[in-house]
Amino acid sequence: MALMAVMTLGASAQNWYSGGQVTFGRTTQSVSGLKTTQVTVLPEIGYNMTENFAIGSVLGVSYKKTGDQKLTVLKINPYARYTYFQNERIGLFLDGGVDFGIGRANGHTAVEYGIGLRPGVSLNITDRFSLVAHVGFLGYQSGNRPAKRNGTPENWGLDLNSNNLMFGFYYHF
C-alpha cells in the first residue's frame, strides 16, 4: 500500500482503475437438501505501471451460510497483472497474487489463504469503462480448521470450473 501511495505523487490520473465484483449465490444439495447461501463484495483498485504491467488489490468481504454454519471473512488480495495481448477492445491478462482472509466462523477465528495465477479477459466498452472476467485458478488455496469446517476448500492445482468464473466492471481514471 505504501508503494501505491508513493506512486500517486508522479502518476498520471489515466493510469488508475477501480471496480470490483459482487456475487450472490444459493445452492441446494440434491441428496440432503442442505442450502448454501454466499454473498461476496470485492471492490478493487489498481495502477497501470506500463502498457503491459499493473499492480492492484482487492479488499472486500464474503459471507457464507450452510445450514446453521456461518462464515464471514474480510479479504485482501494484492496482485500483479501481466497483459500479454491487447488491441483496441480486447485484452488478455494473467494475475499473479496472494489471497488472505480473516473472519469469524461460529465464534472462532477463521483464516483463509492462497497463492496462484488467474487468467482473465477485458473488454473495453469505452475509454473509461471495461468489463473484466477471470476464468479459473492455478495455485494453492486453503484455510485453518474453523474456515475448513465452514466450507473453505483446500485446493492445489488447476481449477477451471464455473465456480471460478468471476465478472467485474472497471472505471479508468
Side-chain angles (χ1 to χ4, degrees):
M1 292 296 180
L3 177 62
M4 289 178 70
V6 169
M7 290 180 349
T8 62
L9 298 176
S12 69
Q14 67 192 30
N15 288 333
W16 287 95
Y17 60 89
S18 68
Q21 303 163 7
V22 176
T23 61
F24 172 80
R26 183 162 185 156
T27 58
T28 303
Q29 293 180 7
S30 59
V31 175
S32 68
L34 189 64
K35 293 180 173 36
T36 299
T37 302
Q38 185 163 356
V39 179
T40 306
V41 178
L42 300 172
E44 179 177 345
I45 189 162
Y47 179 75
N48 293 309
M49 298 177 73
T50 68
E51 189 174 305
N52 295 71
F53 187 74
I55 59 172
S57 186
V58 174
L59 177 64
V61 67
S62 175
Y63 170 79
K64 183 177 184 179
K65 181 180 184 228
T66 304
D68 62 349
Q69 302 289 316
K70 296 178 184 177
L71 175 64
T72 303
V73 178
L74 176 65
K75 297 180 175 240
I76 183 166
N77 305 339
Y79 63 86
R81 174 173 294 165
Y82 176 70
T83 302
Y84 55 90
F85 171 81
Q86 183 149 353
N87 64 23
E88 289 181 21
R89 293 283 179 217
I90 303 287
L92 301 176
F93 61 86
L94 188 63
D95 286 353
V98 177
D99 300 339
F100 179 76
I102 188 165
R104 299 299 286 172
N106 299 320
H108 300 283
T109 300
V111 179
E112 298 176 344
Y113 47 86
I115 187 167
L117 301 172
R118 285 187 175 86
V121 60
S122 65
L123 173 63
N124 298 324
I125 299 169
T126 69
D127 289 342
R128 297 274 185 211
F129 296 100
S130 60
L131 295 175
V132 177
H134 290 86
V135 186
F137 179 79
L138 173 63
Y140 178 74
Q141 296 173 314
S142 189
N144 67 353
R145 195 169 294 144
K148 287 181 183 176
R149 277 196 303 260
N150 286 279
T152 299
E154 183 167 12
N155 295 325
W156 185 93
L158 178 63
D159 186 1
L160 289 176
N161 69 52
S162 62
N163 291 332
N164 268 330
L165 179 61
M166 298 180 290
F167 291 99
F169 179 78
Y170 285 171
Y171 176 76
H172 304 268
F173 296 97

